């Protein structure tokens, strides 16, 4: 699927439009231009202040305050009382590397080559240096700041002291990520990602989990990367290096770019994504600003900025961060060129309001009793859909406040939905699927993410996650809104790392849990204790994290098949097959995605355990024939080969987070949900029934209403109608 097709489907699924009109009206020309006596390193927007102000930080450390029109400029006085002013200025000037605005505390942080970071209070025109971090093992070359909306606690709650000067804080060593200096750093709070870039060909861009619980994504480009920008909701990484090209990458694909944009004549020094408009701004050393349309990957406007310091045949000096896109009430783009600062006023005609997390699916499941599909979004929205038509039946917004829904399950009667949230405080709630009422709120056992919920006989609910504990709740006859947790499971010391997956088998009375270090533990539900370990984490031997676990329930019901593989685990793109009994547990494994370094996040099977459906981070769905695969303990030869691949299709542009096989009127279908803002229904052969939320509904009993069949039969029907019309009007051929 191309970017153009992706944006069309995104509009259809979410109702959000990404304008493609000419960009002549996007800008008012750079009507504001100002001169600074020193090369500008960074411009900061004081977005929390009113009216809007900007602060430019020069290479020597001069701070200047500007209004929105870049006039009434005034140097920011730095309070140097209790210091020798001359010594203070000499130690600070000439060594600025980066700066960042800290909106919640109204401060700016300025990093220097002296391995320190200076914090200035900017609530007034006097920049009082309040804190000085020192002792870094290396100089900070790039800064990024994010804050939680909760009341802050930290280094700025300064105790009273008679000691003059700023508070001195020692900063410990930070582990090395790149072999070359880091030139950009960005924190993505929604997925808790740290993104860094450098001019190292071996690690040009690195996306890593801040908690180090997921695998790193590493991009390798010749001569490295000098600048980048990232959009989580578009799953888009934009990079530029030493050359004049701009590269667009899918977040989960490091091997090759999605597109390469040509047009600049000199090296690109900065790139910015305007997500609401679906545009990219790129700026090159020769002061040329280009605007690119993301869907079409075409340049729609070029500005040759006529800065006064530009001389014919001479490339002006550009700072490390020449662009600032400020999307406040009056959106602007600020551009610096050595000692000059210009601002482009963005017109409001093309502004669109969009919730980036709206429609960003995190999980989905099917309720066969009510014939409903339930989807969960990152913006904490739960939606119930009619599987027969695709019509929305019910929506619960802010199900867990602003927290992302991490996992869901149904009670044993399939009339209640249990959902859990992440992003700090855990909230586990039970919902009535007929009216959307919140029936119970379950006690949390820790302030960490819930990754798995199951419900077994007598409505006993088990929940686990990063707490490494298994909490049990009884929701059978409770009329209380608040249900307390039972911690009878002695699981606190069993897993050494966070639990990422769980599944259970009622016929065998077993529970399986898998953790980040690859360990899989089998528990007995009756005794609430572990009975075997399928993959023990040992020092010196690293196992991939267990993303999904799946019991083959039908095989477990047949005693003659219990010696074969009964449990599947998804680990770093491989499907591992495990037997519960016998001396040898591992029956082998095979790799699923077509690309290297991908993962399988969707794992499901049909009721007979004859088909296996996988969904991976490339957006691909595969249907495997496992009816004769690893059936017995001695059948090791069959497990060395791949099972027959029956069907394969690219269902989504981005990573699939959930896939499930469902039965409707004795026919098998596949449900998939992805971070590309689409939840879809497919036939097992790969025909698209439709996407939930689309305008045109389907009838699951009538294949002619499926989206793939409509597209295939429409031209045939049209040709048939034309032939009928011709037969009724023979004179038409004589015209």
């Amino acid at each position: 699927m191309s970017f153009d097709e992706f944006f069309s489907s995104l509009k259809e699924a979410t109702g959000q439009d990404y304008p493609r009109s000419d960009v002549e009206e996007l800008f008012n020309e750079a009507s504001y231009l100002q001169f600074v006596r020193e090369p500008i390193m960074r411009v900061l927007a004081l977005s929390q202040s009113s009216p809007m102000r900007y602060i430019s930080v020069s290479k020597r450390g001069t701070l200047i305050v500007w209004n929105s029109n870049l006039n009434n400029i005034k140097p920011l006085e730095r309070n140097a009382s209790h210091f020798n002013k001359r010594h203070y200025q000499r130690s600070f000037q000439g060594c600025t590397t980066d700066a960042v605005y800290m909106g919640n505390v109204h401060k700016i942080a300025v990093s220097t080559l002296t391995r320190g970071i200076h914090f200035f209070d900017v609530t007034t025109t006097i920049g009082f240096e309040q804190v000085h971090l020192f002792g870094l093992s290396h100089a900070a070359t790039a800064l990024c700041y994010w804050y939680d909306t909760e009341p802050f606690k930290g280094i700025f709650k300064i105790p009273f002291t008679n000691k003059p000067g700023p508070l001195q804080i020692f900063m410990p060593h930070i582990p090395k990520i790149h072999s070359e200096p880091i030139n950009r750093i960005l924190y993505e709070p929604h997925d808790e990602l740290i993104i860094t870039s450098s001019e190292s060909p071996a690690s040009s861009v690195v996306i890593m989990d801040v908690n180090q619980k997921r695998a790193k994504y590493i991009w390798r480009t010749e001569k490295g990367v000098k600048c980048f920008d990232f959009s989580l909701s578009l799953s888009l990484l934009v990079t530029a290096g030493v050359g004049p090209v701009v590269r667009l990458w899918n977040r989960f694909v490091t091997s090759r770019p999605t597109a390469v944009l040509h047009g600049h004549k000199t090296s690109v020094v900065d790139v910015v994504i305007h997500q609401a408009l679906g545009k990219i701004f790129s700026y090159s050393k020769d002061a040329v600003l280009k605007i690119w349309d993301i869907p079409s990957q075409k340049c729609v406007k070029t500005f040759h900025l006529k800065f006064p310091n530009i001389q014919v045949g001479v490339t002006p000096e550009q700072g490390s961060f020449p662009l600032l896109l400020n999307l406040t009430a009056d959106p602007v783009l600020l551009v610096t060129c050595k000692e000059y600062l210009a601002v482009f006023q963005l017109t409001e005609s093309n502004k669109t309001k969009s919730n980036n997390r709206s429609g960003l699916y995190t999980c989905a499941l099917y309720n066969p009793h009510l014939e409903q599909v339930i989807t969960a979004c990152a913006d904490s929205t739960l939606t119930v859909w009619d599987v027969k038509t695709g019509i929305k039946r019910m929506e619960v917004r802010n199900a867990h406040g602003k927290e992302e829904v991490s996992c869901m399950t149904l009670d044993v009667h399939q009339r209640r939905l249990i959902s859990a949230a992440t992003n700090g405080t855990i909230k586990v709630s039970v919902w009535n699927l007929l009216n959307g009422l919140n029936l119970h709120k379950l006690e949390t056992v820790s302030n960490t993410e819930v990754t798995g919920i199951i419900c077994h006989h007598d409505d006993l609910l088990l929940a686990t996650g990063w707490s490494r504990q298994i909490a049990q709740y009884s929701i059978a006859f409770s009329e209380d809104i608040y249900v307390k947790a039972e911690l009878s499971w002695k699981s606190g010391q069993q897993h050494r790392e966070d639990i990422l997956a769980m599944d259970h088998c009622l016929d065998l009375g077993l529970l399986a849990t898998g953790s980040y270090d690859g360990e899989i533990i089998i528990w007995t539900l009756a005794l609430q204790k572990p009975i075997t370990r399928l993959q023990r984490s040992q020092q010196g031997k690293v196992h991939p994290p267990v993303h999904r676990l799946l019991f083959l329930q039908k095989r477990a019901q047949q005693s003659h098949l219990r010696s074969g593989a009964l449990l599947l685990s998804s680990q770093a793109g491989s499907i591992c097959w495990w037997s519960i009994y016998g001396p040898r547990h591992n029956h082998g494994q095979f790799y699923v995605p077509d690309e290297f370094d991908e993962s399988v996040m969707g794992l499901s099977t049909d009721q007979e355990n004859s088909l296996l459906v996988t969904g991976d981070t490339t957006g691909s769905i595969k249907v495997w024939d496992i009816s004769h695969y690893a059936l017995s303990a001695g059948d090791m030869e069959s497990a060395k080969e791949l099972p027959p691949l029956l069907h394969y299709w690219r269902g989504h542009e981005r990573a699939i987070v959930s896939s499930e096989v469902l039965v409707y009127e004795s026919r098998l279908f596949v449900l998939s949900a992805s971070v590309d803002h689409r939840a879809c229904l497919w036939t097992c052969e790969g025909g698209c029934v439709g996407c939930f939320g689309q305008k045109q509904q389907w009838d699951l009993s009538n294949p002619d209403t499926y989206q793939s069949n409509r597209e295939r039969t429409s031209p045939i029907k049209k040709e048939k109608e034309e032939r009928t019309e011709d037969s009724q009007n023979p004179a038409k051929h004589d015209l």
Side-chain angles (χ1 to χ4, degrees):
M1 181 182 291
S2 66
F3 262 111
D4 190 63
E5 294 170 330
F6 167 62
F7 271 73
S8 297
S9 62
L10 184 63
K11 176 184 176 182
E12 183 181 59
T14 65
Q16 300 173 15
D17 194 5
Y18 289 81
R20 300 161 180 259
S21 59
D22 194 355
V23 194
E24 293 288 349
E25 298 180 358
L26 181 61
F27 282 123
N28 292 327
E29 292 288 346
S31 54
Y32 311 126
L33 184 67
Q34 285 296 348
F35 169 73
V36 185
R37 295 184 180 275
E38 301 172 3
I40 298 173
M41 178 63 63
R42 171 79 91 166
V43 179
L44 306 174
L46 306 189
S47 55
Q48 300 295 325
S49 63
S50 181
M52 172 59 66
R53 292 182 299 154
Y54 299 97
I55 289 184
S56 62
V57 182
S58 74
K59 194 173 182 179
R60 296 182 181 178
T62 299
L63 312 179
I64 298 181
V65 182
W66 314 75
N67 68 2
S68 58
N69 295 330
L70 296 192
N71 53 30
N72 297 329
I73 62 174
K74 182 177 183 180
L76 186 70
E77 299 179 20
R78 287 176 296 171
N79 190 335
S81 59
H82 306 294
F83 286 91
N84 181 302
K85 188 171 184 178
R86 182 177 302 175
H87 171 74
Y88 171 76
Q89 292 183 342
R90 185 172 63 250
S91 65
F92 182 71
Q93 290 183 353
C95 53
T96 299
T97 57
D98 197 6
V100 69
Y101 174 55
M102 309 166 69
N104 61 327
V105 290
H106 302 291
K107 294 172 176 50
I108 63 171
V110 181
S111 58
T112 67
L113 287 176
T114 56
R115 296 183 299 162
I117 301 178
H118 303 262
F119 295 86
F120 294 90
D121 190 309
V122 291
T123 54
T124 65
T125 56
I126 298 178
F128 178 76
E129 183 178 5
Q130 195 172 31
V131 176
H132 175 207
L133 294 181
F134 71 99
L136 277 72
S137 59
H138 298 82
T141 54
L143 300 176
C144 181
Y145 180 71
W146 175 85
Y147 62 90
D148 200 342
T149 55
E150 298 296 325
F152 68 92
K153 294 180 180 179
I155 62 174
F156 297 106
K157 293 195 70 172
I158 300 174
F160 175 77
T161 177
N162 292 322
K163 185 178 180 180
L167 175 68
Q168 305 288 307
I169 297 177
F170 179 75
M171 192 73 172
H173 172 70
I174 300 174
K176 193 173 184 180
I177 301 175
H178 298 267
S179 58
E180 297 290 334
I182 295 175
N183 48 38
R184 291 286 171 102
I185 184 168
L186 178 67
Y187 176 66
E188 172 47 59
H190 179 255
D191 272 11
E192 294 189 320
L193 302 175
I194 294 179
I195 311 171
T196 56
S197 65
S198 73
E199 296 185 46
S200 168
S203 57
S204 306
V205 177
V206 176
I207 297 183
M208 56 188 292
D209 174 20
V210 69
N211 297 310
Q212 296 290 292
K213 299 184 182 299
R214 288 170 281 180
K216 296 179 182 177
Y217 286 84
I218 301 176
W219 282 261
R220 299 173 176 88
T221 62
E222 186 179 1
K223 298 182 181 180
V225 166
K226 295 181 69 69
C227 57
F228 74 88
D229 200 8
F230 178 74
S231 168
L232 178 68
S233 64
L234 299 181
S235 192
L236 176 64
L237 173 69
V238 180
T239 66
V242 176
V245 299
V246 177
R247 292 179 173 88
L248 278 58
W249 308 79
N250 184 291
R251 169 189 169 183
F252 301 102
V253 180
T254 62
S255 57
R256 63 182 183 277
T258 305
V260 179
L261 310 181
H262 298 274
H264 285 284
K265 296 181 179 179
T266 59
S267 296
V268 177
V269 293
D270 209 352
V271 290
V272 176
I273 300 173
H274 193 315
Q275 184 171 282
L277 294 180
K279 299 292 187 293
I280 295 172
F281 301 121
S282 62
Y283 181 65
S284 55
K285 269 191 174 182
D286 54 356
V288 173
L289 176 69
K290 285 183 174 290
I291 306 175
W292 309 83
D293 181 61
I294 297 177
S296 64
Q297 305 157 23
K298 295 180 180 179
C299 180
V300 292
K301 188 67 177 179
T302 299
F303 293 92
H304 296 270
L305 305 186
K306 304 298 183 181
F307 287 100
N309 58 356
I310 295 180
Q311 302 176 10
V312 178
V314 179
T315 302
E317 178 183 354
Q318 300 285 358
S320 303
F321 311 93
L323 294 184
L324 171 64
L325 180 62
N326 183 28
L327 297 177
T328 52
D330 298 313
V332 297
L333 178 72
L334 287 91
V335 186
T336 64
C337 181
K338 198 175 181 179
E339 66 271 21
Y340 281 91
L341 174 64
V343 59
F344 287 86
Q345 192 75 39
L346 276 67
T347 61
E348 300 185 9
S349 58
N350 285 332
K351 288 199 313 180
T352 59
K353 296 181 180 180
S354 62
N355 184 353
N356 298 334
R357 300 172 69 192
S358 176
L360 186 65
Y361 292 110
T362 57
C363 51
L365 58 82
Y366 176 60
N367 185 338
H369 178 72
L370 299 177
E371 296 183 343
Q372 295 173 339
V373 166
I374 303 141
T375 58
C377 293
D379 65 351
S380 203
T381 298
L382 300 174
T383 308
V384 179
W385 311 87
D386 179 22
V387 73
K388 179 177 174 60
T389 61
I391 295 176
K392 182 191 296 185
R393 292 300 185 190
M394 184 175 61
E395 184 177 86
V396 179
R397 296 191 178 186
N398 301 317
H400 296 276
K402 296 182 179 180
E403 298 175 10
E404 175 183 329
V405 179
S406 56
C407 53
M408 301 184 297
T409 193
L410 297 170
D411 72 336
V412 292
H413 304 292
Q414 299 180 351
R415 292 185 178 274
R416 292 179 292 180
L417 174 72
I418 301 99
S419 62
T422 180
N423 192 22
T425 304
I426 306 169
K427 295 180 181 178
V428 183
S429 298
V430 183
W431 306 88
N432 188 322
L433 286 174
L434 298 178
N435 53 28
L437 293 179
N438 189 189
L439 301 176
H440 306 290
K441 291 185 178 180
L442 310 185
E443 179 188 18
T444 62
V445 296
S446 71
N447 292 331
T448 53
E449 180 177 346
V450 175
T451 57
I453 311 174
I454 65 169
C455 193
H456 57 95
H457 56 78
D458 297 329
D459 270 344
L460 288 178
L461 178 69
L462 300 179
T464 189
W466 290 6
S467 67
R468 308 178 193 177
Q469 293 179 294
I470 299 177
Q472 180 172 288
Y473 305 88
S474 177
I475 58 173
F477 307 105
S478 176
E479 296 181 356
D480 298 330
I481 295 179
Y482 186 75
V483 180
K484 291 187 177 181
E486 301 174 13
L487 298 179
S488 56
W489 288 69
K490 306 300 181 182
S491 59
Q493 302 300 321
Q494 299 299 324
H495 278 285
R496 301 174 186 175
E497 291 291 341
D498 302 339
I499 299 174
L500 303 181
M502 70 186 305
D503 195 15
H504 72 303
C505 180
L506 286 180
D507 289 280
L508 299 178
L510 298 178
L511 173 74
T513 55
S515 55
Y516 178 77
D517 59 1
E519 185 174 23
I520 300 175
I521 299 179
I522 305 298
W523 310 72
T524 169
L525 289 170
L527 301 178
Q528 301 182 357
K529 66 178 184 180
I531 58 173
T532 187
R533 299 174 189 268
L534 303 184
Q535 189 169 244
R536 186 66 186 266
S537 174
Q538 298 177 353
Q539 188 174 5
K541 188 174 183 180
V542 180
H543 298 289
V546 179
H547 294 300
R548 295 287 187 270
L549 287 171
L550 176 67
F551 270 109
L552 300 178
Q553 307 287 349
K554 187 66 174 181
R555 290 192 184 185
Q557 295 172 4
Q558 299 171 302
S559 58
H560 66 284
L561 296 179
R562 291 184 180 178
S563 59
L566 299 180
L567 179 68
L568 280 64
S569 65
S570 165
Q571 301 179 234
S574 294
I575 304 299
C576 303
W577 295 70
W578 307 94
S579 64
I580 306 301
Y581 309 104
R584 180 165 184 169
H585 298 298
N586 192 340
H587 275 248
Q589 64 184 52
F590 60 88
Y591 190 78
V592 172
D594 294 328
E595 300 176 9
F596 178 71
D597 201 21
E598 301 292 340
S599 299
V600 174
M601 304 304 291
L603 195 63
S604 58
T605 182
D606 64 326
Q607 295 178 348
E608 299 300 320
N609 295 155
S610 59
L611 298 178
L612 177 68
V613 176
T614 59
D616 57 48
T617 49
T618 68
S620 300
I621 301 172
K622 295 184 178 181
V623 181
W624 310 81
D625 180 3
I626 60 169
S627 57
H628 299 91
Y629 193 79
L631 289 178
S632 62
D635 188 17
M636 299 301 296
E637 291 300 322
S638 70
K640 292 181 180 179
E641 304 293 334
L642 287 171
L645 180 60
L646 301 178
H647 306 286
Y648 160 70
W649 66 94
R650 182 74 180 272
H652 295 270
E653 182 68 22
R654 298 170 59 188
I656 293 173
V657 295
S658 181
S659 65
E660 182 176 346
V661 179
L662 61 91
V663 181
Y664 184 85
E665 294 182 349
S666 302
R667 290 191 60 193
L668 294 180
F669 296 89
V670 176
L671 166 67
S672 66
S674 167
V675 292
D676 67 358
H677 297 258
R678 294 193 304 153
C680 301
L681 196 62
W682 314 84
T683 67
C684 273
E685 295 77 27
C688 182
V689 176
C691 298
F692 292 97
Q694 69 182 32
K695 293 182 179 179
Q696 190 169 7
Q697 60 180 277
W698 61 78
D699 181 358
L700 205 54
S701 303
N702 182 8
D704 290 339
T705 64
Y706 299 174
Q707 180 176 318
S708 56
N709 290 342
R710 285 198 304 266
E711 294 173 352
R712 190 179 301 116
T713 58
S714 292
I716 300 175
K717 289 182 178 180
K718 183 177 181 181
E719 183 180 349
K720 184 177 180 181
E721 291 173 357
E722 290 177 351
R723 288 200 302 267
T724 303
E725 183 181 351
D726 291 346
S727 63
Q728 295 174 351
N729 298 279
K732 181 178 179 180
H733 298 283
D734 299 329
L735 295 177

